Amino acid sequence: VLERVRYQERPERFEYRLTAKGRDLWPVTMALLRWGDRHYATEGPPRLIRHRDCGGKVTERLQCDRCGADLELHDVEAVFGPGARRHREGEPVDGQPAAA
Ligand SMILES: [Zn+2]
């Protein structure tokens, strides 16, 4: 579901990327993200998932709330939200979509 990928050598740092199996879980991932934001994000969501083309938000039906497009994982990107620490809101999260 996740693979560990080194993205920096000194100091060594890793990130976890979704495998093909993991990418198929994106509706589940989005549901968990929404649940976490609702119940634990007291300072606002740390990450926001946006439609790449127009910047709209992802609805519970996995559609864009701005342009109405049906969204798949490759259509969206993650940006830092108001609850992210040490990052500016709206800044891209490593260009990796929905790897939450
Ligand atoms: Zn859109």
Side-chain angles (χ1 to χ4, degrees):
V1 173
L2 291 172
E3 64 182 344
R4 191 173 186 234
V5 179
R6 185 170 63 200
Y7 69 92
Q8 185 178 303
E9 291 197 7
R10 281 188 220 150
E12 213 171 33
R13 290 204 173 136
F14 296 88
E15 65 183 8
Y16 291 86
R17 290 193 187 160
L18 290 167
T19 62
K21 223 188 257 185
R23 286 191 291 276
D24 284 346
L25 284 173
W26 110 273
V28 178
T29 311
M30 283 305 299
L32 286 171
L33 195 66
R34 197 173 290 117
W35 178 83
D37 288 347
R38 187 172 298 152
H39 296 286
Y40 292 99
T42 52
E43 294 168 28
R47 279 166 181 57
L48 302 170
I49 308 302
R50 295 278 163 86
H51 183 199
R52 276 184 204 283
D53 290 354
C54 78
K57 291 184 211 138
V58 183
T59 68
E60 292 194 15
R61 297 179 151 208
L62 304 181
Q63 292 172 325
C64 175
D65 76 341
R66 191 174 289 175
C67 73
D70 291 322
L71 300 174
E72 294 291 335
L73 180 62
H74 59 262
D75 298 318
V76 300
E77 64 184 352
V79 298
F80 289 109
R85 299 203 180 113
R86 292 177 289 125
H87 291 284
R88 204 173 317 145
E89 191 173 336
E91 197 179 320
V93 180
D94 298 331
Q96 283 298 306

